[in-house]
Amino acid sequence: MIRYKSQKQRTLPGFDTPPDMILDPDNRWVKLSECMPWDDLAQSYHKKLSSTLGRPAKDARIVIGAVIIKHKLSVSDDETVEQIRENPYLQYFIGLKGFQSEAPFAPSLFVEVRKRMGQTVFDEFHETIIDAVEHRKARRIVESGNSDDGGNAAESDGKTGLAGTTETLAAEQSAPDESQNHGKLIVDASVVEQAIRFPTDLGLLNEARELSERIIDELHAHSSRPQKRKPRTYREVARKAYLSVVKLKRPSNKRRRAGIRQQLQLLRRNLGHIETMLTAYPYGTPLPLPNWLLRRYWVLPHLFEQQYEMYTTHTRRCDDRIVNISQPYIRPIIRGKQGKAVEFGAKISVSLTGRGLAHVDKLHWNAQHEGHDLQSQVEAYKKRYGCYPEVVIADTAYGSRDNRSFLKQRDIRFAGKPLGRPPKITPENEDEMKRLKAQRRQEYRQRIPIEGKFGQGKHGYRLNNIRAKRADTSIAWINSIFLVMNLLVLVQVFIGLKKIVINIAIWAKDTTIFRKIVFEHTHQFISCRNFSWQ
């Protein structure tokens, strides 16, 4: 059930604090709260909830604000709740009426929120941030217009200067012509690593064997004939054999294969015992196993088949290879990076606009070529901005013939080296060839922002250490990090626009006209309470 109040009337002076506590209006969380389009984000979040059924849900601002705090500070779920409980600025940010010493919610709320917030919700969040940034950047005033001509106009006639400013703002807000291409689209791909142990064949088989022993223990404890002898598993012998191999610094291939063969034999024996014990439960009867253990049991036969096939064929690869029993959807992705040839996680295709906003367009759990996502990324750009980009900046992996033909049909230039043999340099075309080469080099350097965005996410917000345990919660975790990074862009635009509006107030010298400009051209994003009317 949806329970929500509009956030337009939340002010810092109205936030209840102890008598000896004074909040700073220039605090980073206060500034972020002022520029957040809370109502639009709440509307997107509520689409996953029922308006009539179920318990009253937590306020959308509390939920969204808590997710932003968690990934902004890069802390765990429990630590996020403690930070909110101790910090009045964080409590103001999530929309509480006043400071309270009790935790506003339990840490388990994050798990349910990650399950609920799918890719559709985050896509709408991204559209909301784009709309806010585009509206605010469209309202920016060129500094040259304010410094020279604008100042003289203000001295002579304040109203005339404001009229010119209004016309400039209106012209900047005009929608782009769909028949023309505008802007640039920067695309790239990266792997978002999951927080899993590095997989080895022997380690996976040992873990699978221990899980099978746990299943045998559970089934025997719930057996209708407990006096029957439990199947022998040789767990102590298997554990000693496993340790005798992994403790070696550099085990030989023969020794390693002998250890794998022994673990395969013991795992096959245990799976046979489990199948025999499950015959006591007819089809449709619930099994006496906890859900987490039952899900892992479904993975064990597939893991055994893959490992047995690789052992018999003397290979180290197979289709849809399982590298983690608790997260079987993770696949090894060969990247060829220095020091890290293989990465384990989701492969994301990200697009970055000239405004600095990044969006996860595609997310794959299998190793797929990122060049196949370019066409859908270009169409997504047109859906957001109403026109195609003027240029697509990407590395050579995106420069296939199909992609180049697709871009050419839409009058989009691909900033990359042309295919085929380079033309022969002659005195007539030497200058033109040098110019094109310098242009390609300059445009290729414009890929630096998206590489920096990946670095910002991985080193600043732990994008390379996703600790979610499910595929859907991992997707929500990844999108939350990109949401936080886009909000930082929104804050920069908000602060810059706030300074410009204050300059307009000083320049206008007319409170009535200034109020009109603020309300007409900043809509709901900037409230007049943020500025002084003196």
Side-chain angles (χ1 to χ4, degrees):
M1 180 183 296
I2 299 175
R3 182 176 59 184
Y4 181 72
K5 295 181 180 179
S6 177
Q7 307 296 324
K8 295 181 181 180
Q9 305 300 326
R10 299 288 177 94
T11 61
L12 186 62
F15 184 74
D16 297 333
T17 58
D20 56 344
M21 183 182 298
I22 300 177
L23 298 184
D24 183 12
D26 292 332
N27 182 270
R28 57 173 179 166
W29 295 105
V30 176
K31 292 181 179 179
L32 180 60
S33 175
E34 290 175 353
C35 68
M36 287 281 295
W38 291 111
D39 292 341
D40 296 333
L41 296 177
Q43 184 178 3
S44 302
Y45 175 75
H46 286 154
K47 292 183 179 180
K48 289 288 185 177
L49 302 177
S50 174
S51 59
T52 57
L53 301 178
R55 294 175 54 190
K58 286 287 185 181
D59 191 86
R61 176 167 177 174
I62 294 179
V63 174
I64 300 172
V67 172
I68 294 172
I69 292 172
K70 169 184 169 55
H71 295 284
K72 179 71 172 63
L73 301 179
S74 299
V75 293
S76 62
D77 296 347
D78 295 335
E79 182 64 21
T80 302
V81 176
E82 288 300 313
Q83 291 280 354
I84 295 175
R85 187 181 66 83
E86 298 169 354
N87 195 327
Y89 290 105
L90 298 183
Q91 294 188 15
Y92 171 76
F93 179 74
I94 65 174
L96 298 183
K97 296 181 179 179
F99 178 75
Q100 61 183 37
S101 58
E102 298 83 9
F105 52 86
S108 59
L109 175 67
F110 286 102
V111 180
E112 300 300 326
V113 168
R114 283 192 288 267
K115 293 179 182 178
R116 183 182 304 134
M117 298 173 69
Q119 185 66 41
T120 305
V121 174
F122 281 102
D123 287 341
E124 295 187 4
F125 282 1
H126 182 70
E127 299 296 334
T128 302
I129 300 301
I130 287 179
D131 184 70
V133 171
E134 291 299 323
H135 277 75
R136 290 173 178 178
K137 283 205 171 186
R139 300 182 190 103
R140 282 185 176 273
I141 301 175
V142 181
E143 293 295 335
S144 59
N146 296 333
S147 58
D148 300 328
D149 300 338
N152 299 332
E155 292 178 0
S156 60
D157 187 359
K159 295 184 180 180
T160 305
L162 283 175
T165 302
T166 306
E167 294 176 359
T168 303
L169 292 173
E172 291 179 351
Q173 294 181 47
S174 60
D177 187 4
E178 294 187 2
S179 61
Q180 299 179 358
N181 297 348
H182 299 276
K184 61 182 178 180
L185 177 64
I186 308 174
V187 296
D188 202 355
S190 182
V191 174
V192 180
E193 294 184 86
Q194 294 284 124
I196 64 172
R197 181 179 58 190
F198 188 85
T200 60
D201 295 338
L202 189 59
L204 287 172
L205 289 173
N206 176 71
E207 183 182 358
R209 176 189 57 79
E210 292 178 348
L211 287 172
S212 64
E213 295 168 356
R214 178 72 178 272
I215 296 172
I216 291 176
D217 295 341
E218 293 284 343
L219 293 177
H220 179 73
H222 293 84
S223 176
S224 59
R225 294 182 296 174
Q227 70 278 6
K228 187 177 180 181
R229 187 174 180 179
K230 186 170 63 173
R232 187 182 297 273
T233 57
Y234 300 97
R235 62 186 68 189
E236 295 182 1
V237 176
R239 179 65 180 175
K240 291 180 180 179
Y242 167 71
L243 294 177
S244 65
V245 178
V246 296
K247 286 184 176 180
L248 296 176
K249 188 174 182 180
R250 293 180 180 177
S252 62
N253 187 45
K254 182 178 180 181
R255 186 69 180 273
R256 185 184 61 84
R257 282 183 57 83
I260 292 177
R261 180 178 66 251
Q262 187 174 11
Q263 296 295 325
L264 283 171
Q265 292 172 350
L266 293 170
L267 178 59
R268 177 170 56 186
R269 178 187 178 91
N270 291 346
L271 291 177
H273 289 317
I274 294 174
E275 291 296 328
T276 303
M277 299 175 72
L278 290 178
T279 56
Y281 300 92
Y283 180 78
T285 304
L287 301 179
L289 296 175
N291 290 334
W292 70 270
L293 190 58
L294 185 60
R295 288 194 297 267
R296 284 159 177 75
Y297 169 66
W298 295 336
V299 181
L300 297 186
H302 300 283
L303 176 65
F304 173 79
E305 293 176 0
Q306 291 182 355
Q307 293 293 331
Y308 183 76
E309 178 185 357
M310 289 189 293
Y311 175 80
T312 55
T313 58
H314 294 265
T315 58
R316 293 190 178 182
R317 61 182 304 172
C318 64
D319 296 336
D320 299 328
R321 184 175 181 179
I322 297 174
V323 295
N324 190 273
I325 298 177
S326 61
Q327 304 178 59
Y329 51 87
I330 299 177
R331 297 288 180 267
I333 299 179
I334 300 176
R335 298 285 289 168
K337 302 288 185 178
Q338 184 177 3
K340 190 177 292 186
V342 182
E343 295 176 330
F344 306 94
K347 189 171 185 179
I348 56 175
S349 293
V350 179
S351 61
L352 185 71
T353 64
R355 307 294 194 186
L357 298 174
H359 182 257
V360 180
D361 296 314
K362 292 289 183 178
L363 190 148
H364 308 285
W365 291 107
N366 295 319
Q368 297 187 11
H369 195 277
E370 57 266 27
H372 299 160
D373 300 331
L374 178 62
Q375 299 183 13
S376 60
Q377 290 175 298
V378 172
E379 294 296 339
Y381 182 95
K382 182 183 179 182
K383 183 179 180 181
R384 298 187 193 112
Y385 298 98
C387 62
Y388 286 113
E390 182 181 355
V391 59
V392 170
I393 302 175
D395 57 15
T396 56
Y398 291 86
S400 63
R401 295 185 182 275
D402 293 338
N403 287 340
R404 291 173 185 267
S405 176
F406 173 82
L407 297 177
K408 186 177 180 180
Q409 293 175 2
R410 290 155 180 80
D411 296 330
I412 304 174
R413 184 167 53 85
F414 181 76
K417 187 177 180 180
L419 298 178
R421 180 179 298 178
K424 183 178 180 181
I425 300 178
T426 61
E428 291 78 11
N429 65 358
E430 182 177 3
D431 294 339
E432 181 67 15
M433 296 296 295
K434 289 183 178 180
R435 186 189 67 81
L436 294 176
K437 185 177 181 180
Q439 180 184 3
R440 288 195 298 267
R441 185 186 300 111
Q442 180 65 24
E443 290 179 339
Y444 192 78
R445 290 175 180 173
Q446 295 181 17
R447 292 183 58 254
I448 295 177
I450 194 169
E451 297 290 351
K453 188 67 68 173
F454 288 143
Q456 178 188 10
K458 292 184 177 181
H459 300 292
Y461 301 100
R462 296 185 181 181
L463 189 62
N464 59 347
N465 188 27
I466 306 300
R467 299 185 297 276
K469 299 299 182 182
R470 294 170 31 137
D472 52 351
T473 56
S474 297
I475 294 174
W477 192 299
I478 295 169
N479 282 282
S480 298
I481 294 176
F482 278 92
L483 173 65
V484 169
M485 292 191 291
N486 288 336
L487 289 177
L488 298 181
V489 179
L490 180 62
V491 172
Q492 295 175 359
V493 175
F494 174 80
I495 294 175
L497 181 60
K498 184 176 179 179
K499 294 179 180 178
I500 291 176
V501 175
I502 291 177
N503 292 333
I504 295 177
I506 298 174
W507 168 45
K509 299 179 181 179
D510 191 323
T511 302
T512 305
I513 300 178
F514 174 56
R515 287 177 182 268
K516 183 178 180 181
I517 292 178
V518 170
F519 279 111
E520 287 182 356
H521 297 284
T522 59
H523 191 47
Q524 60 180 347
F525 301 112
I526 297 181
S527 175
C528 295
R529 60 179 170 80
N530 296 327
F531 310 103
S532 173
W533 303 106
Q534 298 178 356

